[in-house]
Amino acid sequence: MRCTSGPDARTAAWFKASANKAQLSTHIITVKPEGEEHAHRIRSGFGINQQRGAYGSIDYLDGSYVKDSQGNVYLYNPIMLFPTYSYLKLEPFNGDTLVCRTPQPIANIYGTVCYATRLKAQISDGGLAYVLDVPDGATQPNLDIKFVLRGDSLYQVPDDYITFPGTTVQVPSVLLGVTDETGMWLAMGEANTALRPCPYSPTMLPAGVKSEPFNLYSLDSDNDTVRYTTEVAIDGNDVYMTNPYSPDTLQWIHGTLSGGKATFLPQYIGVDKRSNLHLSFLPATYTTQTSPDGTIIYNYVKAPTLTFDYDAQARTLATDPQARVAFLINAGLDEVNAIMGYRNPSLTIFPVQAATPADPKIVQLQAYDEDMGMGFLSVDFYPIDTQNRPLPYTRLFYNIYLDDQLLTVGPPYYNNVSTPFTNIASNYADNEYFFTQQEIHNVYLTRPFEKVGVQVLFKYNDQWYKSNLVSQTVEGTGVNELAHDAGVPVRQEWYDLSGRRIARPSQGLYLKVSRYADGSVKTEKVMLR
């Protein structure tokens, strides 16, 4: 399915005159409005983002909205596959019906204001486009989209789907699309949005129960054994394991011990900020098939339980290496929608001792930009100590100093955090200011600075062990000169701003990671047009 876009001769004029506005608004609602917040709803709908090559029905996304005292509702991140960290205003219309009057500004990308606009599908030989909906005989486009707020559920009044010619692909007839100031569609949008309360509660580790770091081993796509870090706690006949996909959040997975077996059932885990999904633990079995190009494909099927052999003396949990069993970190509980699969898993105690973590390396520092309202820091550190011995990610943190002042992650500079903190978990990512790519940690710094310092911390037996404080000034040589001296990169990787790796980037803003033969790494923001 090809997505196309292009200006219509009448589009800009209609767009400028829309909703009787003499001038398009450029005020983006980025500060959470006053009112009652309904957070961590399960969000579903139809999304399109050509940059990611993504389209289709999506479920189990994390959604939220705010209702104020006048009955206005503000939908956060109005386009699921294009995070804007802004709000879309829905106004009272009739009873429990709300109206979204478009165009509304939702993002500013390097000075270009992007709008949420009601569009209709237009299919031609060139592909699929969404354009302004101008009924026959009308002089103005239809720019309103209706929503309903009923109880704790918010949903868009559904529109029809149409079939893309020559395929079985269904696309919505009406889209809340992303456009520029002329009304041209930017190949992103959302339709038939629904937010419903989450019926599940995540497992909490009982008070007073302490966990220990464990190694989690599983097979990767090449059947090589890969090690991850998790935390395990045993309390009588209950066993708890943290979600290895999100080790910074300490989301717990619960199992029971009986007769030398540890059994885990399907269960809800919680919200993961990086993927913006409601995640679940799903036992599974798997089969393999080989594609024509030789790639091995793993097909997962839900299983009722996952059972480990538990050796209390050796402190191990192991599955049969001959059995094709796995557990999935999955979007929802209903069907397989794996975010990560751990095949033939086993767990062993992670031997730890008091140790000083190795120093971090600042690989890129960009000065604070007044127009963007932020600077950029990229720091590299492996989970090892000064003797090159591994350290568990779950016990590793870092501090950032701006002009010798310890950075607090929280208001007023990071308003997406309700409980401020200074010790940043090594794998912390919020999909907005903090992004991780294995050992690379990218941070957007939201206040002016001249110097940045980074220090790694390791927690052992309630004591903190610290690396040296590594600092760099904005005027310093930094990574650009280092990378130039390192020659041509041996590998380049592309990521979107959510931290997802992109095979073939198209138009948009990306992070480009260049790796050099001497081990140095350069991370830079790149706008592709």
Side-chain angles (χ1 to χ4, degrees):
M1 185 180 77
R2 298 188 306 277
C3 293
T4 65
S5 59
D8 182 274
R10 299 172 295 172
T11 294
W14 281 333
F15 201 69
K16 289 285 186 183
S18 66
N20 298 317
K21 295 178 182 177
Q23 183 175 349
L24 283 173
S25 171
T26 57
H27 173 64
I28 301 167
I29 307 174
T30 56
V31 177
K32 184 169 67 177
E34 294 290 334
E36 181 182 1
E37 183 179 21
H38 298 258
H40 300 313
R41 275 15 194 187
I42 294 177
R43 184 170 177 174
S44 59
F46 185 99
I48 295 177
N49 186 325
Q50 187 180 28
Q51 290 182 15
R52 295 184 186 174
Y55 67 91
S57 296
I58 302 171
D59 202 354
Y60 286 99
L61 278 155
D62 183 41
S64 66
Y65 62 90
V66 175
K67 182 180 180 181
D68 70 13
S69 57
Q70 284 76 47
N72 297 302
V73 171
Y74 298 86
L75 176 61
Y76 185 59
N77 268 339
I79 309 299
M80 290 185 287
L81 297 181
F82 177 55
T84 60
Y85 315 108
S86 62
Y87 291 84
L88 184 76
K89 184 179 181 181
L90 316 177
E91 303 172 18
F93 183 73
N94 183 20
D96 56 9
T97 302
L98 305 161
V99 61
C100 172
R101 303 193 187 280
T102 73
Q104 288 189 39
I106 56 171
N108 188 320
I109 306 297
Y110 281 98
T112 298
V113 178
C114 299
Y115 293 85
T117 306
R118 184 187 191 275
L119 303 171
K120 72 171 182 178
Q122 183 182 79
I123 296 176
S124 65
D125 292 341
L128 169 69
Y130 281 89
V131 300
L132 292 179
D133 181 9
V134 184
D136 293 339
T139 59
Q140 291 290 325
N142 179 5
L143 290 165
D144 291 346
I145 293 182
K146 299 291 188 357
F147 286 76
V148 170
L149 179 61
R150 191 162 295 160
D152 286 334
S153 296
L154 174 69
Y155 59 91
Q156 182 182 337
V157 175
D159 285 288
D160 294 335
Y161 281 83
I162 57 178
T163 302
F164 197 79
T167 73
T168 59
V169 175
Q170 296 278 304
V171 295
S173 59
V174 172
L175 189 75
L176 182 64
V178 181
T179 67
D180 66 9
E181 63 182 4
T182 70
M184 184 177 72
W185 183 45
L186 300 180
M188 293 178 287
E190 183 167 340
N192 296 334
T193 306
L195 289 84
R196 61 191 189 275
C198 178
Y200 314 109
S201 296
T203 296
M204 305 298 292
L205 188 67
V209 176
K210 290 190 175 182
S211 64
E212 295 180 273
F214 268 62
N215 289 312
L216 166 64
Y217 296 97
S218 73
L219 301 178
D220 67 6
S221 57
D222 296 321
N223 273 336
D224 294 326
T225 299
V226 179
R227 181 176 64 88
Y228 304 90
T229 303
T230 184
E231 294 274 327
V232 172
I234 295 177
D235 181 28
N237 292 326
D238 294 303
V239 58
Y240 301 87
M241 175 180 66
T242 56
N243 170 12
Y245 181 73
S246 309
D248 60 292
T249 56
L250 295 185
Q251 295 170 326
W252 295 97
I253 302 164
H254 173 251
T256 56
L257 295 173
S258 178
K261 303 288 185 182
T263 302
F264 291 81
L265 302 175
Q267 58 196 275
Y268 178 73
I269 297 175
V271 173
D272 174 66
K273 288 186 177 180
R274 282 170 296 177
S275 61
N276 200 37
L277 287 166
H278 288 263
L279 297 183
S280 295
F281 171 91
L282 207 64
T285 59
Y286 68 90
T287 57
T288 61
Q289 66 182 86
T290 304
S291 65
D293 63 1
T295 302
I296 298 177
I297 300 171
Y298 296 93
N299 300 308
Y300 294 104
V301 177
K302 287 173 57 176
T305 62
L306 176 67
T307 300
F308 293 88
D309 292 320
Y310 173 57
D311 187 326
Q313 184 174 0
R315 306 181 74 189
T316 61
L317 296 98
T319 55
D320 182 353
Q322 303 304 316
R324 296 196 165 202
V325 298
F327 72 84
L328 311 178
I329 302 301
N330 197 70
L333 283 165
D334 303 328
E335 57 187 36
V336 172
N337 189 8
I339 306 304
M340 188 70 177
Y342 300 87
R343 296 185 296 113
N344 298 94
S346 64
L347 293 132
T348 63
I349 190 73
F350 193 125
V352 293
Q353 57 187 333
T356 300
D359 291 347
K361 180 179 180 181
I362 296 175
V363 295
Q364 186 172 13
L365 180 62
Q366 292 183 1
Y368 181 85
D369 187 299
E370 293 287 348
D371 293 332
M372 291 185 63
M374 61 183 64
F376 180 75
L377 166 69
S378 183
V379 61
D380 178 5
F381 61 87
Y382 286 88
I384 57 174
D385 66 11
T386 53
Q387 305 300 314
N388 269 341
R389 295 173 299 193
L391 295 174
Y393 250 128
T394 51
R395 303 295 174 95
L396 214 57
F397 300 79
Y398 65 102
N399 291 153
I400 297 175
Y401 291 83
L402 299 183
D403 298 328
D404 299 320
Q405 181 180 358
L406 181 62
L407 174 70
T408 297
V409 181
Y413 298 107
Y414 297 95
N415 287 314
N416 62 340
V417 173
S418 56
T419 304
F421 57 90
T422 56
N423 294 337
I424 307 166
S426 61
N427 208 31
Y428 175 74
D430 63 6
N431 208 25
E432 185 169 357
Y433 300 104
F434 292 80
F435 301 86
T436 61
Q437 300 157 8
Q438 296 180 340
E439 71 276 9
I440 302 297
H441 308 264
N442 297 321
V443 183
Y444 288 96
L445 303 170
T446 57
R447 73 170 190 253
F449 59 89
E450 296 296 329
K451 182 175 73 171
V452 168
V454 182
Q455 188 171 42
V456 181
L457 294 79
F458 171 54
K459 189 175 184 180
Y460 175 72
N461 281 351
D462 295 326
Q463 297 292 319
W464 290 99
Y465 298 84
K466 300 181 180 182
S467 74
N468 292 312
L469 178 64
V470 176
S471 299
Q472 181 174 308
T473 62
V474 172
E475 295 81 13
T477 54
V479 68
N480 291 330
E481 185 174 286
L482 175 66
H484 176 75
D485 292 342
V488 178
V490 296
R491 189 168 83 252
Q492 286 185 331
E493 300 162 356
W494 294 83
Y495 297 84
D496 66 16
L497 295 187
S498 298
R500 298 180 178 88
R501 188 170 177 178
I502 304 298
R504 294 182 178 86
S506 55
Q507 291 182 337
L509 183 61
Y510 297 91
L511 296 175
K512 181 172 75 171
V513 179
S514 301
R515 302 181 186 274
Y516 295 84
D518 65 357
S520 61
V521 179
K522 176 182 177 182
T523 301
E524 56 189 320
K525 292 174 291 183
V526 178
M527 173 65 81
L528 300 180
R529 301 184 181 276

